[in-house]
Amino acid sequence: MTSLADLIPAPRAVEGPTRCGFVFGADTALWGAPGTEGTQRWLRTTLGAALGLPLPPGREGAENTVTLRLDDSLDPEGYRLKVTFGWGVEITGGGPAGVFWGAQSLRQLLGPDAFRRAPIGPGLEYGVQHQTIDDAPRFRWRGLMLDVARHFMPKDGVLRYLDLMAAHKLNVFHFHLTDDQGWRIEIKRHPRLTEAGSWRARTKFGHRASPLWEEKPHGGYYTQDDIREIVAYAAERHITVVPEIDVPGHSQAAIAAYPELGNTDVIDTTALSVWDTWGISPNVLAPTDNTLRFYEGVFEELLELFPGEFIHVGGDECLKDQWRASPTAQARIKELGVGDEDGLQSWFIGHFDKWLTARGRRLIGWDEILEGGLAPGAAVSSWRGYAGGVTAARAGHDVVMCPEQQVYLDHRQDGGADEPVPIGYVRTLEDVYRFEPVPPELTSAEAAHVLGTQANLWTEVMEDHARVDYQAFPRLAAFAEVAWSRLPAPAERDFADFERRMTEHYARLDALGVSYRPPTGPLPWQKRPGVLGRPIEGAPPNR
């Protein structure tokens, strides 16, 4: 039996546990109230499969039963998990999501074998100690961003990451679908976006300063049916998928597919291909009515596929040199009266803010959308430190805190020479555990605009799922606790206790097949000797 104290993320309150408890058996039943059907399916297909238990339908209030209930007096994502000695397990949620998160805690309590896909042997007993857990999340947005544009992750890998998110009670999947290096989603009215824009002829291996190339085509995309499957799979796990279509910068793949989208009065856009290196491409969208109509068509298809509240439009790192040189762009600035190129970007983002609002959705973008004036109604992903989030919250806009210096998990985990393709500042497991999403200078009213927090996985130097695993874990477990649990101030957090709990959690990750970074450093096959990165020395700015 696993000790309660080994749960990650840490629960809010606990009564018990005692040494006695409840042991699951072949005749242990499952009963759920209306509204808990999704968790019932998950318990049978995932937990039941791992332990070799059928969990047949049972009766309400019966002995030897896992019981699922709803109680709207609890937080919608909150739950109460009660294990009664010799009787059974009862999970009560404030809503269907709360019941599901309670089931995730039950899985952890049952031990690492509960994270396998099939039982490892006959005759094993699995039990949980007599106890009551009361729990609820600190933030409503507990996110992970996955960049599939730089290195494509096939659909099965995406579904696997949704399972990993669910196991850590993360509930927002930010799906970075387009960039200079690839377009990853089928758009039926613009087929060349995937025919031409979804693959590149070769790929830079390592940082852009590296002399190494992988001399073979790289590509892939998700069909609309793939997207429907991913969204449905996420919804069953109470995860919202927020798609990102990057505009007006980071758009070279789209321009390579449809050259008329680029600044044709400045460069020969027909000569462009999908970008094969890293960095920020100067090739950005032209601020024309044709471009607006084209992307309205893209977003129309997107809205049919993604039912969530937010649509992410990027808006970051838009180099404006081509606009400065473009007579068309300069005429547009004068016509609109927006003053300069920053104002032109603000107009571009504002157009889609109004367009999405008219269709009952909300725009969210990286904090560059603050430049030239914040689009009314827009929310901000604050990535360039805390400043963008502070500015936006003080202006009454909702914010997701994801400062690169703190929670960009592509940054290296250690300063040692063995770290594979070292990028950015050193961000250790402890650094992530001591990350505080809410800027201390905000008043309580301003802090209410912080929807939550998000960790980001940019995949320039992550060529496959094992590299993504290595960068994500174990730090994503620490991040999940920051996002879910009501922890003390960063300096007061008990990292030693978290490390102790991670000892048990590594066994869960092993059972899940996660290629995490071991506490002692990378394994021989996780290293990338001789591949240049971009390490930054010293402590990152905390602002």
Side-chain angles (χ1 to χ4, degrees):
M1 294 185 184
T2 297
S3 166
L4 163 78
D6 290 332
L7 288 180
I8 291 176
R12 183 172 61 183
V14 183
E15 182 182 324
T18 67
R19 295 184 65 85
C20 301
F22 171 72
V23 177
F24 282 68
D27 55 349
T28 299
L30 172 62
W31 179 88
T36 67
E37 292 83 2
T39 300
Q40 292 176 54
R41 284 191 294 273
W42 183 87
L43 283 167
R44 288 194 173 100
T45 59
T46 302
L47 194 62
L51 305 182
L53 301 176
L55 297 176
R59 292 180 295 106
E60 182 179 8
E63 191 175 352
N64 194 23
T65 300
V66 176
T67 300
L68 309 179
R69 302 184 187 277
L70 295 172
D71 179 353
D72 61 11
S73 69
L74 301 176
D75 180 285
E77 289 193 275
Y79 67 90
R80 180 177 300 113
L81 170 60
K82 185 175 182 180
V83 182
T84 302
F85 168 59
W87 185 267
V89 177
E90 181 175 271
I91 301 172
T92 304
V99 175
F100 184 71
W101 303 133
Q104 298 306 310
S105 291
L106 174 62
R107 186 190 196 187
Q108 289 197 19
L109 293 173
L110 283 162
D113 288 354
F115 290 80
R116 299 187 179 277
R117 296 192 182 186
I120 59 174
L124 297 176
E125 283 193 345
Y126 299 99
V128 286
Q129 294 172 309
H130 179 95
Q131 62 195 277
T132 300
I133 304 169
D134 279 294
D135 202 6
R138 179 185 179 190
F139 293 112
R140 59 172 274 206
W141 186 302
R142 307 180 302 280
L144 175 69
M145 189 224 70
L146 179 64
D147 165 22
V148 296
R150 273 51 175 268
H151 278 101
F152 179 66
M153 180 177 283
K155 181 191 69 177
D156 283 354
V158 174
L159 299 178
R160 173 176 175 268
Y161 257 82
L162 291 170
D163 280 331
L164 291 172
M165 289 177 65
H168 294 84
K169 300 186 175 74
L170 298 172
N171 71 339
V172 178
F173 179 56
H174 176 167
F175 207 6
H176 184 81
L177 288 163
T178 73
D179 218 294
D180 298 308
Q181 296 85 2
W183 185 284
R184 305 295 180 212
I185 180 170
E186 177 188 27
I187 302 297
K188 292 185 181 296
R189 71 189 73 185
H190 302 308
R192 281 188 56 78
L193 286 171
T194 46
E195 290 170 1
S198 69
W199 67 276
R200 56 184 181 262
R202 64 176 187 169
T203 298
K204 176 68 75 173
F205 191 55
H207 182 252
R208 61 181 176 270
S210 168
L212 304 176
W213 294 88
E214 187 179 36
E215 295 286 354
K216 66 178 184 180
H218 177 87
Y221 67 91
Y222 310 102
T223 67
Q224 293 200 355
D225 281 346
D226 290 338
I227 293 293
R228 292 184 181 97
E229 180 184 356
I230 288 166
V231 169
Y233 195 85
E236 188 84 349
R237 288 148 183 78
H238 299 277
I239 296 170
T240 299
V241 183
V242 175
E244 180 181 354
I245 302 293
D246 218 332
V247 295
H250 285 294
S251 298
Q252 184 166 324
I255 298 168
Y258 290 93
E260 65 271 22
L261 296 174
N263 294 284
T264 57
D265 56 348
V266 176
I267 64 162
D268 177 10
T269 56
T270 64
L272 293 177
S273 60
V274 178
W275 217 22
D276 58 11
T277 189
W278 316 127
I280 308 171
S281 170
N283 298 300
V284 303
L285 298 175
T288 64
D289 289 341
N290 175 65
T291 300
L292 296 181
R293 300 294 88 76
F294 183 97
Y295 274 87
E296 286 171 0
V298 170
F299 284 119
E300 280 178 5
E301 295 193 25
L302 215 69
L303 296 188
E304 294 175 1
L305 298 168
F306 297 94
E309 176 183 5
F310 287 98
I311 301 292
H312 208 292
V313 301
D316 61 314
E317 297 180 328
C318 179
L319 299 181
K320 302 179 175 70
D321 295 344
Q322 290 183 0
W323 286 357
R324 292 185 186 97
S326 164
T328 300
Q330 292 303 309
R332 200 78 202 241
I333 289 171
K334 186 174 181 181
E335 170 200 340
L336 295 168
V338 294
D340 59 13
E341 291 77 21
D342 284 347
L344 190 60
Q345 175 166 339
S346 180
W347 163 80
F348 197 105
I349 298 296
H351 173 86
F352 287 103
D353 179 56
K354 296 183 185 73
W355 191 91
L356 289 167
T357 299
R359 288 156 181 79
R361 304 298 185 92
R362 290 184 67 190
L363 178 147
I364 184 168
W366 303 109
D367 56 49
E368 284 94 333
I369 67 173
L370 293 163
E371 297 168 3
L374 189 62
V380 170
S381 300
S382 184
W383 75 275
R384 296 179 298 177
Y386 289 91
V390 170
T391 299
R394 285 177 173 167
H397 293 267
D398 288 340
V399 178
V400 176
M401 297 303 300
C402 48
E404 67 166 326
Q405 302 91 340
Q406 316 299 326
V407 288
Y408 270 31
L409 300 185
D410 49 309
H411 283 207
R412 57 193 172 134
Q413 305 185 62
D414 188 87
D418 286 338
E419 290 305 308
V421 198
I423 300 295
Y425 293 102
V426 173
R427 293 285 84 194
T428 66
L429 182 65
E430 181 171 0
D431 291 330
V432 174
Y433 190 67
R434 297 194 189 281
F435 164 60
E436 172 50 49
V438 178
E441 60 265 44
L442 294 182
T443 66
S444 58
E446 292 163 349
H449 286 290
V450 178
L451 299 176
T453 184
Q454 178 174 292
N456 294 343
L457 282 166
W458 300 103
T459 61
E460 286 94 338
V461 298
M462 302 181 213
E463 69 274 13
D464 55 33
H465 89 267
R467 282 287 290 119
V468 175
D469 281 4
Y470 181 91
Q471 293 301 130
F473 290 98
R475 293 182 297 180
L476 193 63
F479 173 81
E481 184 150 310
V482 168
W484 176 277
S485 307
R486 296 180 184 275
L487 299 175
E492 299 168 10
R493 294 176 188 173
D494 189 348
F495 180 68
D497 178 69
F498 178 77
E499 279 193 304
R500 183 192 60 75
R501 286 181 285 127
M502 277 303 301
T503 301
E504 178 77 10
H505 201 64
Y506 285 122
R508 300 175 191 133
L509 297 178
D510 286 332
L512 287 166
V514 175
S515 301
Y516 58 85
R517 180 190 188 276
T520 53
L523 298 166
W525 56 87
Q526 293 175 322
K527 302 173 185 179
R528 296 291 185 275
V531 181
L532 287 180
R534 183 183 59 89
I536 304 174
E537 301 304 327
N542 191 23
R543 62 181 188 277

